[in-house]
Amino acid sequence: MDKIKSIAVLQAYATGLAAQSLQHKVESKIFQDAGYSKLGEKYAEHAEEEMGWVDKFIERILDLGGTPKVEAAPAMEVFTDPVKYIQDDYKTSVEQVPILMDVTSSLQDDFKTYDILKAYALDEEEDMLWSETQLNLIEQIGLQNWLVKQM
């Protein structure tokens, strides 16, 4: 088991997820303010869920004898259009989920880290499918009907 590699991977994902969690929280507030309370609640829950993963990653870093780092993440775009945000989130997932799965596979000799990342990868795949479903719904029932369902 390569502890240094495991710690580096966990740290990278903890940093990225903390930033993503904040972005979901900001978007949640924007959507709630626009009257889309269901969508706002969805992203507020998603923000909390992602911080839960950050906690798990930090705990594992500590288990491995590492020291978690607080790192600045790059600025992320803020969206006022819920559809554009879902499209962007979906695009990111489509690009990142396969990478996450490959990284997870490379850590099979570190069983605990592998299990944590595997569970996280499955959760991210589920989120990607949710976004895909929403985009398909918009196409099928129309934007206005979908927006009404988000109120």
Side-chain angles (χ1 to χ4, degrees):
M1 173 173 68
D2 184 348
K3 287 184 179 185
I4 293 171
K5 179 180 178 182
S6 293
I7 291 168
V9 167
L10 290 163
Q11 182 63 55
Y13 277 102
T15 299
L17 268 179
Q20 200 171 33
S21 175
L22 181 58
Q23 183 181 26
H24 287 326
K25 188 169 189 149
V26 169
E27 294 297 336
S28 165
K29 298 291 184 189
I30 290 169
F31 299 152
Q32 287 176 347
D33 186 61
Y36 305 121
S37 59
K38 288 182 183 174
L39 192 59
E41 289 172 22
K42 165 69 177 167
Y43 279 106
E45 290 170 6
H46 198 51
E48 287 179 32
E49 177 184 316
E50 292 200 337
M51 284 309 294
W53 286 111
V54 170
D55 288 345
K56 288 178 183 179
F57 296 161
I58 289 171
E59 288 168 7
R60 182 62 182 151
I61 290 169
L62 293 169
D63 287 347
L64 291 168
T67 302
K69 299 175 192 170
V70 178
E71 298 178 358
M76 295 184 172
E77 185 175 356
V78 174
F79 295 83
T80 55
D81 180 333
V83 177
K84 286 185 180 176
Y85 184 62
I86 293 171
Q87 288 170 333
D88 186 72
D89 199 34
Y90 178 69
K91 179 180 174 261
T92 300
S93 292
V94 167
E95 293 168 356
Q96 295 300 316
V97 166
I99 294 168
L100 173 59
M101 290 182 175
D102 285 344
V103 168
T104 301
S105 292
S106 76
L107 296 170
Q108 288 182 5
D109 62 333
D110 176 355
F111 300 127
K112 189 167 184 178
T113 301
Y114 172 79
D115 285 346
I116 292 167
L117 287 173
K118 182 179 171 188
Y120 169 62
L122 292 171
D123 183 62
E124 283 301 298
E125 185 177 44
E126 192 176 296
D127 292 340
M128 179 179 67
L129 294 174
W130 180 88
S131 294
E132 182 178 48
T133 298
Q134 299 314 300
L135 295 171
N136 287 336
L137 272 173
I138 292 165
E139 209 172 286
Q140 291 171 6
I141 67 174
L143 175 60
Q144 294 306 315
N145 290 329
W146 182 80
L147 287 172
V148 167
K149 291 178 63 78
Q150 303 311 312
M151 297 177 101

